[in-house]
Amino acid sequence: MSAPARRGTAIAYVVAGAVLLLVAAQLIGQLQLAGRAWPPLTDVVEYVATPAGASLLWRNLVVTTASAARGFVIGAGVALVGAVLALVIPALRPGLDRFSAILHAVPTIALAPLLITTVGREDTPAVIAALSVGFLMFVTMTSAFANRSEPHEDVFTVLGSSRIQRLVRLEAPRAVPAFFDGLVLSAPAAILGATIGEWFGAPMGLGLLIVSAMQNYQMQLLWAAALAATILSLATYLVFTLLQRAAVRRFA
C-alpha cells in the first residue's frame, strides 16, 4: 500500500471513530442510559449555539487558554534550564532529579491552598499548569541529553571542545526532536493543569464553569465546558504534533 493510501486509511479510521463516539454519546443521553447527568449531545450543542451560552463559554475559554499558555511557557522554560544545568554541571543532576520527582508527587489539592495564599487565585491556574509541564519537559530533556552518541563525543573530545561547545553544537541539535516530543505531551497537560487550578476559586475559567455548573446542576453548561476543554487540548496536541514531525524531518 502506498503512503497516500495509508494516510487516507488512517484518516478514515479517525473520522469513523469520531463519528461512532458522537453517536454513542447522543444515544446514551437520548435514552438516559447514564441518567439525567448525561444530556443528549444535541442539547449541549443547542446550549452552546445560544448567544448567552456561546458568550459565557468563549470568555472563560479565553481565560483558561491564557493561563495554560503562561504555565506552558514558564514550565517549559524552567525545565529546559534545569536540564541544561544538569548536563553542564553533572553534580547537580541527582538533586534536580529528586527535586522534580518530589514536586511532581505532591498532590495538587495539597499545593492549591499554599499557592492561593502566595501567588493569588488568579495566578494559581498558571502555576499548576507550569508544574505539570515542567516535570514532563525536564524528564524528556534530561533523557534526550543523556542519549549520547559515543563516536560524536569522541570527535569533540579529540578536537578539544568545551562543555558549552558540545552543548551548542552536538547535544542541543540532537535533542530538538525530543524537545518537541515533550511539547506534544505537555500541551494537553497545561490545559488540564490550568482547568484544575481554576477549581480552587479562580474568578473565571472553564474549571470554574465546571464546578459552578456541577453545584447548580446545569448539565448542559457542565458538558459544554468539559467539551471545550477537551477540544482545546486536542487542538494543542495536533498543533504540536505537526511541529514535532517537522522537527524530526529536519534534525533526526
Side-chain angles (χ1 to χ4, degrees), residues 171-221:
E171 281 131 353
R174 192 172 57 216
V176 168
F179 174 73
F180 280 94
D181 286 339
L183 294 183
V184 169
L185 298 174
S186 299
I191 304 297
L192 177 61
T195 304
I196 292 175
E198 290 164 350
W199 292 359
F200 302 102
M204 287 187 69
L206 293 177
L208 176 64
L209 277 188
I210 292 173
V211 173
S212 176
M214 180 177 60
Q215 293 174 343
N216 294 284
Y217 205 74
Q218 296 175 296
M219 292 299 105
Q220 285 81 8
L221 176 59

Side-chain angles (χ1 to χ4, degrees), residues 59-75 121-131 133 187 189-198 202-207 232:
R59 292 197 307 271
N60 287 273
L61 178 64
V62 170
V63 172
T64 300
T65 303
S67 297
R70 280 193 295 151
F72 181 80
V73 172
I74 294 171
R121 297 181 184 274
E122 292 186 359
D123 294 326
T124 294
V127 175
I128 293 178
L131 292 174
V133 171
I191 304 297
L192 177 61
T195 304
I196 292 175
E198 290 164 350
M204 287 187 69
L206 293 177
L232 181 60

